[in-house]
Amino acid sequence: MGQMSGAQMVCEAIIAEGVTTVFGYPGGAIMHVYDEIYKQEGFEHILNRHEQASVHAADGYARATGEVGVAMVTSGPGFTNAVTGLATAYMDSIPLVVISGQVPLSLIGTDGFQEIDAVGISRPCTKHNFLVRTLEELPRVLKEAFYIARSGRPGPVLVDVPKDITVDIGEFIYPDSVDIPTYKPTYKGNKKQIEKAVEAIKSAKKPLLYIGGGVVLSNAYELVRELAEKTQIPAVETLMARGVMGAKNPLLLGMLGMHGNYSSNMAMSETDLVISLGARFDDRVTGKLSEFAKYADIIHVDIDAANIGKLVDVDYPIVGDITEVLQAMLPQLDDVDTDRYEAWRNILNRYDELHPQSYVDSDEVIKPQWAIERIGELIGEDAIITSDVGQHQMWAAQHYPFDRPRQWINSGGLGTMGFGFPAALGVKRAFPEKTVVNVTGDGSILMNMQELVTAAEYKIPVINMILNNHFLGMVRQWQTFFYEKRYSETDLSFQPNFKALAEACGGIGYDVTTKAEFDAAIKDAIKQDKVCFMNVQTNRFEDVLPMVPSGGALFNMMLPQTTKGDA
Amino acid sequence: MKTNVNERRVISVIVMNESSVLSRITSLFAARGYNIESLTVAPIPDSDMSHITIATKGSSRLMEQVTKQLHKLIPVYKVIEHEEMVEKEMVLAKFPIAENLADISVLSAAYNGGVVNVGTEMIIVMVADEPKRVKHFIEAAQRYNPCEIVRGGVVAIER
């Protein structure tokens, strides 16, 4: 491609990787790159109003599309603001390339203006990071960054580019392929191990599919559904896997874990064979480890060997990509006897009848669970739902009828409040024809509310559905249960006028206190080409149930009042 | 899975020879609270790789996790958890010239070493031996009032 500046190389690499939208915020050290962004037409740049939001927006774009998301920030505070975004993506294995400016090479280590050790700070929250040291290595580093981000177990990669390198001019040859001798992800599962796992499935009486976010990342949901269908083995999903089985699938019991439903948690407690697909036995899923799947052998399929045996002893470890492993496994299950598991399915169905996922609805006040179910009824399959972190997130995960993966986008591992709104911007940019709803709370939304301005400027009409209980609800719930109702710093009675706030920034606001207003607001919001805040007043003291108290065994659940009796 | 806690382990990590690789490895240990007892690094001849030898303590489960986590780092080529190995550590020790030089010389010879430097006020000896024997040498050396003892850290090679 000939001679060009380092800044131009950055842009050319982004274009070569097929990235259509870059989220970012300029500043001193990255200015040369922004000068080239101004001149090029290969991708669109969206100016968020905070670097954290840029990374979350790129993250939302990546989660919705499965492609690498790109964010760009300057050195120093630009980078440190991006750290929460990197950590969020890291915990959920989301492929991102974040490009940060750095002070010129000659100033590195001198405490220069807006200098911070970006590779040092981001080391524990990136899959890999680079400080570019020469112009010659820049094209290779950029190529490797995209490759590392999307291959193996995906993750965010930081490329820190000193300012002088963006000015220097040199030959740009973007590599066609990558060869990193020290990095060779394992995709194919071990044949012998897969055979053993198949035998274990055939001889089990109470097998259970334990489906994690890895299935979404591997785009393997059709194979997982085929596996369930073929074997008639019931399934539970983690928070990150919502949508994999599809809400209408009769083999799906629900979500398991701290806020899992009764049948899912009981299934995990009573199964004799856990078939873990891309899940990592997070503490919010397992509860007390010594009681987790106590009677089960464990098949663990994961592309990351370090996940296997990290928390529980595994009987059938399979390192590999879920897609490839299932492709090898499925033909071997042609002769599986599906009747074998019928008694087991009946037990679980009985559990589900005893304690279905439920809540007590009200005519006086909007219940948050009702609001979630209602948007499910009104826009269901057509919507992509993002969320922040807290009670609203759990209610959305429990009650929304997700029917495909990548329809549910939330910060599961890090639990980042403020994720949902900027992520929704990335989602909406990737899928402009879809309705994008950020289910949020009156606490979380304020953590990135400046994005109202971004959304208004770029006409990105995402719906922020604020389930407003005037509390930092999840912490309040714990205080009710475990801290004798001492509501320390969780009362959010003092609030902005959310409607006016949205309007002040060029968006639309809706105040919603009744079900009729709710329907009217959502129907109007869908038609608008403007961002909105839907301020939904809900009852203050609703709890997320069922709940397994932290560190307790999964089968010890606090259940909602609507249950029909004890099992 | 056996979980004998605090058993001593030696691992070799073969890495790409690049500037940040050592900090990636040490910060992995630090972030998880794994302790490093000793660490040596040197380039592997005629290659762009380096050999890092780490002595640490922990259960076999912990070591399995450490090994996997190390392997996950992009510039790490290979991780070897040593079982059958030859292990050596080098030590330099400085004594006042007024001490019994003959004894010091014999002592260091007994631990695979000898006198490497003699000045007007000090004598310096070097020994190279297995870590356990190095410990014995250091204990024995105490009676000659050493001014300074520098240990080199363990290097190991699989048998």
Side-chain angles (χ1 to χ4, degrees), chain A residues 123 128-129 133 153 181-183 304-306 308-313, chain B residues 1 16 19-20 23-24 27 49 61 65 68-69 72 74-77:
Chain A
R123 198 169 292 129
H128 194 53
N129 59 20
R133 283 164 196 282
R153 179 180 180 179
T182 55
Y183 175 65
D304 180 1
I308 297 178
K310 180 172 67 179
L311 290 154
V312 298
D313 291 339
Chain B
M1 208 179 275
M16 294 285 277
S19 59
S20 60
S23 66
R24 289 182 201 283
S27 72
M49 304 266 181
R61 176 171 218 152
Q65 192 51 214
K68 285 173 169 176
Q69 293 290 350
K72 251 174 93 168
I74 306 290
V76 169
Y77 180 63

PDB file of all heavy atoms in Angstrom, chain A residues 123 128-129 133 153 181-183 304-306 308-313, chain B residues 1 16 19-20 23-24 27 49 61 65 68-69 72 74-77:
ATOM      1  N   ARG A 123      -2.559  -5.137  32.126  1.00  0.00           N
ATOM      2  CA  ARG A 123      -2.117  -6.535  32.008  1.00  0.00           C
ATOM      3  C   ARG A 123      -3.114  -7.532  32.607  1.00  0.00           C
ATOM      4  O   ARG A 123      -3.475  -8.505  31.948  1.00  0.00           O
ATOM      5  CB  ARG A 123      -0.727  -6.691  32.655  1.00  0.00           C
ATOM      6  CG  ARG A 123       0.000  -7.938  32.221  1.00  0.00           C
ATOM      7  CD  ARG A 123       1.441  -7.903  32.671  1.00  0.00           C
ATOM      8  NE  ARG A 123       2.186  -6.882  31.970  1.00  0.00           N
ATOM      9  CZ  ARG A 123       2.939  -5.951  32.556  1.00  0.00           C
ATOM     10  NH1 ARG A 123       3.041  -5.913  33.876  1.00  0.00           N
ATOM     11  NH2 ARG A 123       3.597  -5.076  31.848  1.00  0.00           N
ATOM     12  N   HIS A 128      -4.275  -9.819  26.053  1.00  0.00           N
ATOM     13  CA  HIS A 128      -2.883  -9.508  25.751  1.00  0.00           C
ATOM     14  C   HIS A 128      -2.791  -8.010  25.500  1.00  0.00           C
ATOM     15  O   HIS A 128      -3.807  -7.367  25.217  1.00  0.00           O
ATOM     16  CB  HIS A 128      -2.421 -10.272  24.498  1.00  0.00           C
ATOM     17  CG  HIS A 128      -0.925 -10.256  24.315  1.00  0.00           C
ATOM     18  ND1 HIS A 128      -0.050 -10.650  25.296  1.00  0.00           N
ATOM     19  CD2 HIS A 128      -0.154  -9.878  23.269  1.00  0.00           C
ATOM     20  CE1 HIS A 128       1.192 -10.525  24.849  1.00  0.00           C
ATOM     21  NE2 HIS A 128       1.159 -10.069  23.619  1.00  0.00           N
ATOM     22  N   ASN A 129      -1.596  -7.449  25.641  1.00  0.00           N
ATOM     23  CA  ASN A 129      -1.449  -6.038  25.296  1.00  0.00           C
ATOM     24  C   ASN A 129      -0.080  -5.771  24.684  1.00  0.00           C
ATOM     25  O   ASN A 129       0.844  -6.569  24.826  1.00  0.00           O
ATOM     26  CB  ASN A 129      -1.729  -5.139  26.501  1.00  0.00           C
ATOM     27  CG  ASN A 129      -0.806  -5.424  27.670  1.00  0.00           C
ATOM     28  OD1 ASN A 129       0.259  -6.006  27.520  1.00  0.00           O
ATOM     29  ND2 ASN A 129      -1.215  -5.012  28.856  1.00  0.00           N
ATOM     30  N   ARG A 133       6.777  -0.301  19.816  1.00  0.00           N
ATOM     31  CA  ARG A 133       8.090   0.302  20.019  1.00  0.00           C
ATOM     32  C   ARG A 133       8.736   0.846  18.747  1.00  0.00           C
ATOM     33  O   ARG A 133       9.600   1.710  18.796  1.00  0.00           O
ATOM     34  CB  ARG A 133       9.043  -0.724  20.658  1.00  0.00           C
ATOM     35  CG  ARG A 133       8.752  -0.873  22.117  1.00  0.00           C
ATOM     36  CD  ARG A 133       9.362  -2.098  22.729  1.00  0.00           C
ATOM     37  NE  ARG A 133       8.722  -2.331  24.005  1.00  0.00           N
ATOM     38  CZ  ARG A 133       9.009  -1.638  25.108  1.00  0.00           C
ATOM     39  NH1 ARG A 133       9.927  -0.698  25.090  1.00  0.00           N
ATOM     40  NH2 ARG A 133       8.373  -1.887  26.228  1.00  0.00           N
ATOM     41  N   ARG A 153     -10.054 -18.550  23.208  1.00  0.00           N
ATOM     42  CA  ARG A 153     -11.021 -17.899  24.086  1.00  0.00           C
ATOM     43  C   ARG A 153     -10.878 -16.409  23.837  1.00  0.00           C
ATOM     44  O   ARG A 153      -9.837 -15.823  24.127  1.00  0.00           O
ATOM     45  CB  ARG A 153     -10.711 -18.215  25.547  1.00  0.00           C
ATOM     46  CG  ARG A 153     -11.670 -17.550  26.514  1.00  0.00           C
ATOM     47  CD  ARG A 153     -11.338 -17.885  27.959  1.00  0.00           C
ATOM     48  NE  ARG A 153     -12.284 -17.229  28.850  1.00  0.00           N
ATOM     49  CZ  ARG A 153     -12.248 -17.353  30.170  1.00  0.00           C
ATOM     50  NH1 ARG A 153     -11.320 -18.080  30.736  1.00  0.00           N
ATOM     51  NH2 ARG A 153     -13.138 -16.738  30.907  1.00  0.00           N
ATOM     52  N   PRO A 181       4.336 -18.323  17.318  1.00  0.00           N
ATOM     53  CA  PRO A 181       4.710 -19.704  17.673  1.00  0.00           C
ATOM     54  C   PRO A 181       4.265 -20.093  19.083  1.00  0.00           C
ATOM     55  O   PRO A 181       4.070 -21.269  19.370  1.00  0.00           O
ATOM     56  CB  PRO A 181       6.236 -19.723  17.549  1.00  0.00           C
ATOM     57  CG  PRO A 181       6.674 -18.342  17.243  1.00  0.00           C
ATOM     58  CD  PRO A 181       5.492 -17.494  16.964  1.00  0.00           C
ATOM     59  N   THR A 182       4.098 -19.091  19.955  1.00  0.00           N
ATOM     60  CA  THR A 182       3.748 -19.410  21.345  1.00  0.00           C
ATOM     61  C   THR A 182       2.245 -19.435  21.577  1.00  0.00           C
ATOM     62  O   THR A 182       1.798 -19.673  22.686  1.00  0.00           O
ATOM     63  CB  THR A 182       4.362 -18.362  22.289  1.00  0.00           C
ATOM     64  OG1 THR A 182       3.916 -17.072  21.858  1.00  0.00           O
ATOM     65  CG2 THR A 182       5.863 -18.413  22.270  1.00  0.00           C
ATOM     66  N   TYR A 183       1.450 -19.145  20.538  1.00  0.00           N
ATOM     67  CA  TYR A 183      -0.006 -19.054  20.731  1.00  0.00           C
ATOM     68  C   TYR A 183      -0.734 -19.902  19.701  1.00  0.00           C
ATOM     69  O   TYR A 183      -0.863 -19.501  18.548  1.00  0.00           O
ATOM     70  CB  TYR A 183      -0.434 -17.591  20.641  1.00  0.00           C
ATOM     71  CG  TYR A 183      -1.941 -17.373  20.709  1.00  0.00           C
ATOM     72  CD1 TYR A 183      -2.660 -17.675  21.854  1.00  0.00           C
ATOM     73  CD2 TYR A 183      -2.639 -16.869  19.616  1.00  0.00           C
ATOM     74  CE1 TYR A 183      -4.024 -17.485  21.913  1.00  0.00           C
ATOM     75  CE2 TYR A 183      -4.007 -16.665  19.652  1.00  0.00           C
ATOM     76  CZ  TYR A 183      -4.696 -16.984  20.813  1.00  0.00           C
ATOM     77  OH  TYR A 183      -6.045 -16.788  20.860  1.00  0.00           O
ATOM     78  N   ASP A 304     -10.685 -23.079  26.989  1.00  0.00           N
ATOM     79  CA  ASP A 304      -9.616 -22.625  27.878  1.00  0.00           C
ATOM     80  C   ASP A 304      -9.302 -23.719  28.891  1.00  0.00           C
ATOM     81  O   ASP A 304     -10.089 -23.982  29.802  1.00  0.00           O
ATOM     82  CB  ASP A 304     -10.068 -21.337  28.589  1.00  0.00           C
ATOM     83  CG  ASP A 304      -8.997 -20.801  29.532  1.00  0.00           C
ATOM     84  OD1 ASP A 304      -7.909 -21.412  29.607  1.00  0.00           O
ATOM     85  OD2 ASP A 304      -9.256 -19.776  30.184  1.00  0.00           O
ATOM     86  N   ALA A 305      -8.143 -24.354  28.726  1.00  0.00           N
ATOM     87  CA  ALA A 305      -7.768 -25.456  29.612  1.00  0.00           C
ATOM     88  C   ALA A 305      -7.727 -25.014  31.067  1.00  0.00           C
ATOM     89  O   ALA A 305      -7.990 -25.804  31.976  1.00  0.00           O
ATOM     90  CB  ALA A 305      -6.405 -26.008  29.193  1.00  0.00           C
ATOM     91  N   ALA A 306      -7.425 -23.743  31.301  1.00  0.00           N
ATOM     92  CA  ALA A 306      -7.316 -23.263  32.679  1.00  0.00           C
ATOM     93  C   ALA A 306      -8.664 -23.236  33.388  1.00  0.00           C
ATOM     94  O   ALA A 306      -8.724 -23.187  34.607  1.00  0.00           O
ATOM     95  CB  ALA A 306      -6.677 -21.871  32.705  1.00  0.00           C
ATOM     96  N   ILE A 308     -10.780 -25.679  33.191  1.00  0.00           N
ATOM     97  CA  ILE A 308     -11.114 -27.066  33.533  1.00  0.00           C
ATOM     98  C   ILE A 308     -10.348 -27.473  34.789  1.00  0.00           C
ATOM     99  O   ILE A 308      -9.136 -27.361  34.849  1.00  0.00           O
ATOM    100  CB  ILE A 308     -10.808 -27.999  32.344  1.00  0.00           C
ATOM    101  CG1 ILE A 308     -11.691 -27.611  31.149  1.00  0.00           C
ATOM    102  CG2 ILE A 308     -11.011 -29.453  32.736  1.00  0.00           C
ATOM    103  CD1 ILE A 308     -11.468 -28.422  29.901  1.00  0.00           C
ATOM    104  N   GLY A 309     -11.110 -27.914  35.786  1.00  0.00           N
ATOM    105  CA  GLY A 309     -10.476 -28.317  37.042  1.00  0.00           C
ATOM    106  C   GLY A 309     -10.097 -27.146  37.924  1.00  0.00           C
ATOM    107  O   GLY A 309      -9.448 -27.325  38.945  1.00  0.00           O
ATOM    108  N   LYS A 310     -10.503 -25.935  37.542  1.00  0.00           N
ATOM    109  CA  LYS A 310     -10.143 -24.752  38.344  1.00  0.00           C
ATOM    110  C   LYS A 310     -10.888 -24.770  39.675  1.00  0.00           C
ATOM    111  O   LYS A 310     -10.316 -24.477  40.716  1.00  0.00           O
ATOM    112  CB  LYS A 310     -10.482 -23.480  37.548  1.00  0.00           C
ATOM    113  CG  LYS A 310     -10.154 -22.184  38.277  1.00  0.00           C
ATOM    114  CD  LYS A 310     -10.335 -20.965  37.377  1.00  0.00           C
ATOM    115  CE  LYS A 310     -11.790 -20.732  37.014  1.00  0.00           C
ATOM    116  NZ  LYS A 310     -11.973 -19.533  36.163  1.00  0.00           N
ATOM    117  N   LEU A 311     -12.174 -25.099  39.630  1.00  0.00           N
ATOM    118  CA  LEU A 311     -12.993 -25.042  40.846  1.00  0.00           C
ATOM    119  C   LEU A 311     -13.549 -26.406  41.260  1.00  0.00           C
ATOM    120  O   LEU A 311     -13.714 -26.670  42.430  1.00  0.00           O
ATOM    121  CB  LEU A 311     -14.137 -24.042  40.642  1.00  0.00           C
ATOM    122  CG  LEU A 311     -13.655 -22.596  40.592  1.00  0.00           C
ATOM    123  CD1 LEU A 311     -14.603 -21.727  39.788  1.00  0.00           C
ATOM    124  CD2 LEU A 311     -13.487 -22.028  41.990  1.00  0.00           C
ATOM    125  N   VAL A 312     -13.866 -27.236  40.279  1.00  0.00           N
ATOM    126  CA  VAL A 312     -14.381 -28.563  40.623  1.00  0.00           C
ATOM    127  C   VAL A 312     -13.547 -29.614  39.885  1.00  0.00           C
ATOM    128  O   VAL A 312     -13.002 -29.345  38.819  1.00  0.00           O
ATOM    129  CB  VAL A 312     -15.877 -28.721  40.221  1.00  0.00           C
ATOM    130  CG1 VAL A 312     -16.755 -27.729  40.950  1.00  0.00           C
ATOM    131  CG2 VAL A 312     -16.054 -28.568  38.725  1.00  0.00           C
ATOM    132  N   ASP A 313     -13.450 -30.781  40.480  1.00  0.00           N
ATOM    133  CA  ASP A 313     -12.748 -31.882  39.824  1.00  0.00           C
ATOM    134  C   ASP A 313     -13.598 -32.385  38.664  1.00  0.00           C
ATOM    135  O   ASP A 313     -14.799 -32.570  38.809  1.00  0.00           O
ATOM    136  CB  ASP A 313     -12.491 -33.015  40.815  1.00  0.00           C
ATOM    137  CG  ASP A 313     -11.462 -32.613  41.863  1.00  0.00           C
ATOM    138  OD1 ASP A 313     -10.696 -31.660  41.582  1.00  0.00           O
ATOM    139  OD2 ASP A 313     -11.426 -33.221  42.936  1.00  0.00           O
TER     140      ASP A 313
ATOM    141  N   MET B   1      -7.276 -36.325  43.396  1.00  0.00           N
ATOM    142  CA  MET B   1      -6.224 -35.302  43.222  1.00  0.00           C
ATOM    143  C   MET B   1      -5.502 -35.090  44.551  1.00  0.00           C
ATOM    144  O   MET B   1      -6.126 -34.793  45.564  1.00  0.00           O
ATOM    145  CB  MET B   1      -6.876 -33.994  42.759  1.00  0.00           C
ATOM    146  CG  MET B   1      -5.958 -33.143  41.935  1.00  0.00           C
ATOM    147  SD  MET B   1      -6.803 -31.629  41.404  1.00  0.00           S
ATOM    148  CE  MET B   1      -7.646 -32.198  39.937  1.00  0.00           C
ATOM    149  N   MET B  16       8.923 -16.272  24.719  1.00  0.00           N
ATOM    150  CA  MET B  16       9.473 -15.371  23.718  1.00  0.00           C
ATOM    151  C   MET B  16      10.303 -14.316  24.445  1.00  0.00           C
ATOM    152  O   MET B  16       9.869 -13.776  25.462  1.00  0.00           O
ATOM    153  CB  MET B  16       8.342 -14.643  22.970  1.00  0.00           C
ATOM    154  CG  MET B  16       7.472 -15.527  22.122  1.00  0.00           C
ATOM    155  SD  MET B  16       8.267 -16.032  20.607  1.00  0.00           S
ATOM    156  CE  MET B  16       7.938 -14.621  19.574  1.00  0.00           C
ATOM    157  N   SER B  19      10.264  -7.678  25.878  1.00  0.00           N
ATOM    158  CA  SER B  19      10.534  -6.855  27.050  1.00  0.00           C
ATOM    159  C   SER B  19       9.560  -7.063  28.216  1.00  0.00           C
ATOM    160  O   SER B  19       9.935  -7.002  29.359  1.00  0.00           O
ATOM    161  CB  SER B  19      10.536  -5.390  26.651  1.00  0.00           C
ATOM    162  OG  SER B  19       9.285  -5.066  26.100  1.00  0.00           O
ATOM    163  N   SER B  20       8.296  -7.313  27.910  1.00  0.00           N
ATOM    164  CA  SER B  20       7.325  -7.325  29.002  1.00  0.00           C
ATOM    165  C   SER B  20       7.039  -8.712  29.556  1.00  0.00           C
ATOM    166  O   SER B  20       6.226  -8.871  30.448  1.00  0.00           O
ATOM    167  CB  SER B  20       6.021  -6.715  28.499  1.00  0.00           C
ATOM    168  OG  SER B  20       5.548  -7.485  27.412  1.00  0.00           O
ATOM    169  N   SER B  23       7.362  -9.454  33.401  1.00  0.00           N
ATOM    170  CA  SER B  23       6.341  -8.830  34.245  1.00  0.00           C
ATOM    171  C   SER B  23       4.996  -9.527  34.074  1.00  0.00           C
ATOM    172  O   SER B  23       4.197  -9.587  35.006  1.00  0.00           O
ATOM    173  CB  SER B  23       6.235  -7.340  33.945  1.00  0.00           C
ATOM    174  OG  SER B  23       5.763  -7.148  32.640  1.00  0.00           O
ATOM    175  N   ARG B  24       4.718 -10.049  32.883  1.00  0.00           N
ATOM    176  CA  ARG B  24       3.478 -10.809  32.708  1.00  0.00           C
ATOM    177  C   ARG B  24       3.458 -12.014  33.640  1.00  0.00           C
ATOM    178  O   ARG B  24       2.434 -12.352  34.239  1.00  0.00           O
ATOM    179  CB  ARG B  24       3.342 -11.301  31.262  1.00  0.00           C
ATOM    180  CG  ARG B  24       3.055 -10.202  30.277  1.00  0.00           C
ATOM    181  CD  ARG B  24       2.868 -10.742  28.867  1.00  0.00           C
ATOM    182  NE  ARG B  24       3.082  -9.685  27.891  1.00  0.00           N
ATOM    183  CZ  ARG B  24       2.206  -8.727  27.608  1.00  0.00           C
ATOM    184  NH1 ARG B  24       1.041  -8.707  28.214  1.00  0.00           N
ATOM    185  NH2 ARG B  24       2.486  -7.786  26.727  1.00  0.00           N
ATOM    186  N   SER B  27       3.447 -10.856  37.446  1.00  0.00           N
ATOM    187  CA  SER B  27       2.170 -10.274  37.877  1.00  0.00           C
ATOM    188  C   SER B  27       1.080 -11.333  37.939  1.00  0.00           C
ATOM    189  O   SER B  27       0.146 -11.216  38.730  1.00  0.00           O
ATOM    190  CB  SER B  27       1.763  -9.087  37.005  1.00  0.00           C
ATOM    191  OG  SER B  27       1.354  -9.512  35.739  1.00  0.00           O
ATOM    192  N   MET B  49      14.118 -17.209  22.274  1.00  0.00           N
ATOM    193  CA  MET B  49      13.393 -17.580  23.485  1.00  0.00           C
ATOM    194  C   MET B  49      14.275 -17.409  24.727  1.00  0.00           C
ATOM    195  O   MET B  49      15.499 -17.369  24.626  1.00  0.00           O
ATOM    196  CB  MET B  49      12.958 -19.051  23.406  1.00  0.00           C
ATOM    197  CG  MET B  49      12.127 -19.384  22.189  1.00  0.00           C
ATOM    198  SD  MET B  49      10.379 -19.262  22.562  1.00  0.00           S
ATOM    199  CE  MET B  49       9.673 -19.734  21.000  1.00  0.00           C
ATOM    200  N   ARG B  61      -2.891 -29.097  43.046  1.00  0.00           N
ATOM    201  CA  ARG B  61      -4.003 -28.432  42.362  1.00  0.00           C
ATOM    202  C   ARG B  61      -3.615 -27.001  42.000  1.00  0.00           C
ATOM    203  O   ARG B  61      -3.853 -26.536  40.886  1.00  0.00           O
ATOM    204  CB  ARG B  61      -5.230 -28.428  43.269  1.00  0.00           C
ATOM    205  CG  ARG B  61      -6.363 -27.665  42.661  1.00  0.00           C
ATOM    206  CD  ARG B  61      -7.645 -27.840  43.446  1.00  0.00           C
ATOM    207  NE  ARG B  61      -8.752 -27.928  42.520  1.00  0.00           N
ATOM    208  CZ  ARG B  61      -9.872 -28.573  42.740  1.00  0.00           C
ATOM    209  NH1 ARG B  61     -10.042 -29.220  43.852  1.00  0.00           N
ATOM    210  NH2 ARG B  61     -10.827 -28.578  41.860  1.00  0.00           N
ATOM    211  N   GLN B  65      -3.097 -25.232  38.219  1.00  0.00           N
ATOM    212  CA  GLN B  65      -3.703 -23.972  37.825  1.00  0.00           C
ATOM    213  C   GLN B  65      -2.637 -22.953  37.388  1.00  0.00           C
ATOM    214  O   GLN B  65      -2.783 -22.282  36.375  1.00  0.00           O
ATOM    215  CB  GLN B  65      -4.549 -23.439  39.005  1.00  0.00           C
ATOM    216  CG  GLN B  65      -5.474 -22.294  38.712  1.00  0.00           C
ATOM    217  CD  GLN B  65      -6.398 -22.455  37.522  1.00  0.00           C
ATOM    218  OE1 GLN B  65      -6.682 -21.493  36.857  1.00  0.00           O
ATOM    219  NE2 GLN B  65      -6.869 -23.657  37.208  1.00  0.00           N
ATOM    220  N   LYS B  68      -1.372 -23.913  33.970  1.00  0.00           N
ATOM    221  CA  LYS B  68      -2.331 -23.578  32.905  1.00  0.00           C
ATOM    222  C   LYS B  68      -2.399 -22.071  32.668  1.00  0.00           C
ATOM    223  O   LYS B  68      -2.491 -21.618  31.528  1.00  0.00           O
ATOM    224  CB  LYS B  68      -3.708 -24.110  33.271  1.00  0.00           C
ATOM    225  CG  LYS B  68      -3.851 -25.617  33.113  1.00  0.00           C
ATOM    226  CD  LYS B  68      -5.193 -26.055  33.664  1.00  0.00           C
ATOM    227  CE  LYS B  68      -5.521 -27.492  33.310  1.00  0.00           C
ATOM    228  NZ  LYS B  68      -6.791 -27.899  33.954  1.00  0.00           N
ATOM    229  N   GLN B  69      -2.405 -21.327  33.756  1.00  0.00           N
ATOM    230  CA  GLN B  69      -2.482 -19.869  33.609  1.00  0.00           C
ATOM    231  C   GLN B  69      -1.235 -19.327  32.904  1.00  0.00           C
ATOM    232  O   GLN B  69      -1.317 -18.422  32.085  1.00  0.00           O
ATOM    233  CB  GLN B  69      -2.640 -19.180  34.971  1.00  0.00           C
ATOM    234  CG  GLN B  69      -3.970 -19.464  35.678  1.00  0.00           C
ATOM    235  CD  GLN B  69      -5.170 -18.814  34.988  1.00  0.00           C
ATOM    236  OE1 GLN B  69      -5.017 -17.997  34.096  1.00  0.00           O
ATOM    237  NE2 GLN B  69      -6.361 -19.213  35.401  1.00  0.00           N
ATOM    238  N   LYS B  72      -1.432 -19.893  29.287  1.00  0.00           N
ATOM    239  CA  LYS B  72      -2.384 -19.016  28.606  1.00  0.00           C
ATOM    240  C   LYS B  72      -1.755 -17.709  28.141  1.00  0.00           C
ATOM    241  O   LYS B  72      -2.260 -17.067  27.224  1.00  0.00           O
ATOM    242  CB  LYS B  72      -3.510 -18.661  29.582  1.00  0.00           C
ATOM    243  CG  LYS B  72      -4.814 -19.309  29.272  1.00  0.00           C
ATOM    244  CD  LYS B  72      -5.812 -19.006  30.369  1.00  0.00           C
ATOM    245  CE  LYS B  72      -6.646 -17.799  30.061  1.00  0.00           C
ATOM    246  NZ  LYS B  72      -7.788 -17.696  30.993  1.00  0.00           N
ATOM    247  N   ILE B  74       0.201 -15.154  26.167  1.00  0.00           N
ATOM    248  CA  ILE B  74       0.508 -15.257  24.737  1.00  0.00           C
ATOM    249  C   ILE B  74       1.991 -15.554  24.472  1.00  0.00           C
ATOM    250  O   ILE B  74       2.299 -16.430  23.661  1.00  0.00           O
ATOM    251  CB  ILE B  74       0.061 -13.980  23.982  1.00  0.00           C
ATOM    252  CG1 ILE B  74      -1.418 -13.672  24.252  1.00  0.00           C
ATOM    253  CG2 ILE B  74       0.353 -14.076  22.481  1.00  0.00           C
ATOM    254  CD1 ILE B  74      -2.416 -14.619  23.652  1.00  0.00           C
ATOM    255  N   PRO B  75       2.956 -14.889  25.120  1.00  0.00           N
ATOM    256  CA  PRO B  75       4.361 -15.157  24.776  1.00  0.00           C
ATOM    257  C   PRO B  75       4.959 -16.396  25.425  1.00  0.00           C
ATOM    258  O   PRO B  75       6.153 -16.630  25.294  1.00  0.00           O
ATOM    259  CB  PRO B  75       5.101 -13.895  25.262  1.00  0.00           C
ATOM    260  CG  PRO B  75       4.129 -13.089  26.027  1.00  0.00           C
ATOM    261  CD  PRO B  75       2.825 -13.796  26.093  1.00  0.00           C
ATOM    262  N   VAL B  76       4.148 -17.198  26.119  1.00  0.00           N
ATOM    263  CA  VAL B  76       4.690 -18.407  26.751  1.00  0.00           C
ATOM    264  C   VAL B  76       4.598 -19.573  25.777  1.00  0.00           C
ATOM    265  O   VAL B  76       3.528 -19.902  25.271  1.00  0.00           O
ATOM    266  CB  VAL B  76       3.943 -18.728  28.063  1.00  0.00           C
ATOM    267  CG1 VAL B  76       4.308 -20.119  28.569  1.00  0.00           C
ATOM    268  CG2 VAL B  76       4.260 -17.681  29.107  1.00  0.00           C
ATOM    269  N   TYR B  77       5.748 -20.197  25.534  1.00  0.00           N
ATOM    270  CA  TYR B  77       5.816 -21.282  24.570  1.00  0.00           C
ATOM    271  C   TYR B  77       5.544 -22.627  25.244  1.00  0.00           C
ATOM    272  O   TYR B  77       4.820 -23.457  24.719  1.00  0.00           O
ATOM    273  CB  TYR B  77       7.205 -21.273  23.923  1.00  0.00           C
ATOM    274  CG  TYR B  77       7.419 -22.348  22.882  1.00  0.00           C
ATOM    275  CD1 TYR B  77       6.657 -22.358  21.717  1.00  0.00           C
ATOM    276  CD2 TYR B  77       8.388 -23.317  23.062  1.00  0.00           C
ATOM    277  CE1 TYR B  77       6.855 -23.338  20.764  1.00  0.00           C
ATOM    278  CE2 TYR B  77       8.594 -24.293  22.110  1.00  0.00           C
ATOM    279  CZ  TYR B  77       7.828 -24.309  20.959  1.00  0.00           C
ATOM    280  OH  TYR B  77       8.018 -25.277  20.012  1.00  0.00           O
TER     281      TYR B  77
END
